[in-house]
Amino acid sequence: MTTRALAAFAAGASYDGLPPEVVAKAGALVLDCVGAAIGGAAVPEVVALTGLVRSRGGVPEATAVGARPGFAAPLADAAYAMGAAADVLEHQDGYRFGGFHPSHAIPAVLAVAEHVDADVPDLLTAVVVAYEVANRIARAAHPQATKAGWFPTAASFGAAAGCARLLGLSEDGIADAIGATAFFAPAILIESIFAAPGAKPAFAGQIARAGVEGALTATTGLTGWREVVEHPRGLVSVLGGDGDTAHGLGSEWTILDVHQKWFAGCRHTHGAAQATAELALEHDLKPSEVSTVDVEAYDVALLLVDRPVGADPSTVACTLSLPFAVGAALADRYVGGRQYATDRRTNPEVLRVAGLVGLRRADDLEALYPEYTATRVTLTTTDGRTLTRTVDTPAGDSRAPMDRDRLLAKFGAYADPVVGAENAARVAEALLGPSGSVRDLIALVTVFQEAQA
């Protein structure tokens, strides 16, 4: 379990040495993140955060992907802006064995890749490095960190490794980048996220920013703490974890276990959302026909997403609320970015059902966590029927993955209205190909936005 081993892996990774399925997964994850950023850019909380970045100006080194209209900013600022946009709708990926979002690293890696004029295969190699480093750190601290009240910032350290690689640093330099990130990574109280304040998306932006700053610091020749991961008072230990973070590097590909979200919202709401949507479709239920909603889940779900919403909830609050997810899924048979628009998140029938939800622990479901985020929903109808559905592997899980059509549909729902269907298709082709330059790819998702301004 050493920082040095993680750096050695990052320095030695090569595109030609990556299994095809790993490359394909990396492309799909970047596509997902770009789509989420495009969709999130119009959310008021993100408009406020990216507006601050835009107002500061600075050297235009990389594009703030997803910002409307598009603009360029210093590397760390560009990563921050995209990070906030990609997080706000909670439609990004996640790693169930780490309790975090490894895609928080992508805005950092993408900004640096654009800046150095990397090609898409170089980008994807750096993304794989970032995920493998981040996932191992987070896995070693999960679920102890979450239960102690911390959100793992492992993506900052993975981002630093990926960015340092793109910047041409040696193994020593990458170790310094990972170690220097300790001085930039935020300390995130998980309750501060799930309390759902308007500033919440800033935490994801800051995680991305920290990775860029750590890598840039190493380029100056300054050293980082090369025991940041494994020291007895280092990152993993302080978060309550243990274990060998370097186990299986280069042979076990944790990126393949990363889930993508078919439903938008915190992962711990997905089982309930899917079970409710399936029951609504199967029985042609209307919200007015449901009188009670009983949801059974595992301890972490109760800790994080048992969040009632009021009469005028914010987008951030709704994305972190299991009761809201149930109400939206019953009304619309799906929970995506559209369900967080003002007219849907304040819809009386959605909010009425949300108010009916009772969430409780089930011993059999708790025993399955974290291998499964299993959730059981029981709906009682006004005519006396009792309808139950259990979902243990929500759509998008690595064991129930989204196929290519669903991946493209999710991306297109966000990208097509903003950058045009033709540009969106070309972005998907470049990332899933993979081929072309990162700068050309970025231009495809920003030119139309600038024309719209």
Side-chain angles (χ1 to χ4, degrees):
M1 181 179 71
T2 66
T3 304
R4 169 67 70 179
L6 297 173
F9 164 74
S14 69
Y15 179 77
D16 291 339
L18 297 176
E21 64 271 22
V22 169
V23 172
K25 184 64 175 282
L29 294 173
V30 175
L31 185 71
D32 234 14
C33 186
V34 171
I38 292 171
V43 175
E45 291 89 338
V46 172
V47 172
L49 292 171
T50 56
L52 288 173
V53 174
R54 189 193 305 270
S55 70
R56 294 180 191 132
V59 179
E61 297 175 316
T63 304
V65 174
R68 302 186 196 175
F71 68 97
L75 280 173
D77 283 351
Y80 171 87
M82 180 184 176
D87 175 82
V88 69
L89 294 174
E90 286 285 334
H91 218 171
Q92 75 286 68
D93 65 31
Y95 183 54
R96 71 183 186 279
F97 297 119
F100 82 126
H101 305 294
S103 59
H104 284 161
I106 287 177
V109 176
L110 190 59
V112 172
E114 180 191 6
H115 180 61
V116 302
D117 197 17
D119 62 21
V120 171
D122 287 338
L123 165 69
L124 298 187
T125 304
V127 166
V128 172
V129 164
Y131 272 64
E132 294 302 319
V133 170
N135 286 352
R136 282 172 168 77
I137 294 171
R139 183 172 66 182
H142 186 68
Q144 298 95 321
T146 298
K147 291 182 176 180
W150 296 108
F151 183 89
T153 56
S156 288
F157 298 88
C163 291
R165 177 191 168 80
L166 285 166
L167 291 167
L169 295 183
S170 65
E171 179 183 322
D172 283 347
I174 296 173
D176 286 328
I178 296 171
T181 300
F183 302 102
F184 298 99
I188 304 295
L189 300 170
I190 201 164
E191 186 61 25
S192 72
I193 295 173
F194 285 87
K200 175 258 184 182
F203 96 97
Q206 196 64 19
I207 286 173
R209 179 196 293 278
V212 175
E213 296 283 16
L216 290 177
T217 297
T219 67
T220 70
L222 292 175
T223 56
W225 185 25
R226 295 185 185 177
E227 296 180 278
V228 64
V229 175
E230 70 273 17
H231 192 276
R233 291 169 64 83
L235 182 63
V236 170
S237 180
V238 167
L239 291 176
D242 54 32
D244 181 3
T245 57
H247 176 74
L249 273 169
S251 58
E252 176 208 8
W253 300 99
T254 64
I255 194 171
L256 298 177
D257 281 325
V258 170
H259 61 254
Q260 295 170 271
K261 295 180 177 181
W262 178 238
F263 296 97
C266 175
R267 177 66 168 178
H268 300 295
T269 71
H270 287 202
Q274 183 170 326
T276 302
E278 289 176 356
L279 288 171
L281 284 166
E282 185 176 322
H283 299 279
D284 193 25
L285 285 177
K286 298 180 177 61
S288 61
E289 297 174 313
V290 173
S291 57
T292 65
V293 182
D294 180 49
V295 181
E296 298 167 88
Y298 43 94
D299 286 342
V300 169
L302 272 66
L303 176 68
L304 298 181
V305 294
D306 188 9
R307 310 279 173 166
V309 293
D312 187 21
S314 69
T315 294
V316 171
C318 290
T319 64
L320 301 170
S321 169
L322 184 147
F324 178 84
V326 170
L330 184 58
D332 295 342
R333 275 64 167 164
Y334 179 61
V335 184
R338 174 71 184 90
Q339 279 60 51
Y340 298 115
T342 302
D343 64 324
R344 297 312 297 160
R345 69 174 189 267
T346 60
N347 183 276
E349 65 179 7
V350 172
L351 296 179
R352 186 190 78 83
V353 173
L356 298 175
V357 174
L359 179 59
R360 58 191 175 92
R361 180 189 199 267
D363 290 344
D364 61 325
L365 304 183
E366 169 62 21
L368 297 175
Y369 185 81
E371 182 69 18
Y372 295 95
T373 52
T375 310
R376 184 180 300 120
V377 174
T378 300
L379 305 177
T380 304
T381 65
T382 52
D383 60 5
R385 290 175 292 161
T386 299
L387 309 172
T388 300
R389 180 66 49 87
T390 300
V391 171
D392 57 8
T393 51
D397 187 282
S398 59
R399 295 156 296 185
M402 292 192 292
D403 60 22
R404 184 184 177 93
D405 287 345
R406 201 168 245 198
L407 174 68
L408 294 176
K410 178 185 171 183
F411 178 70
Y414 288 129
D416 289 2
V418 178
V419 305
E422 182 179 348
N423 277 7
R426 291 171 63 191
V427 170
E429 181 181 0
L431 288 170
L432 302 180
S435 62
S437 79
V438 173
R439 287 181 180 174
D440 288 346
L441 183 154
I442 297 298
L444 290 171
V445 296
T446 56
V447 170
F448 187 73
Q449 292 172 8
E450 292 170 347
Q452 291 275 75

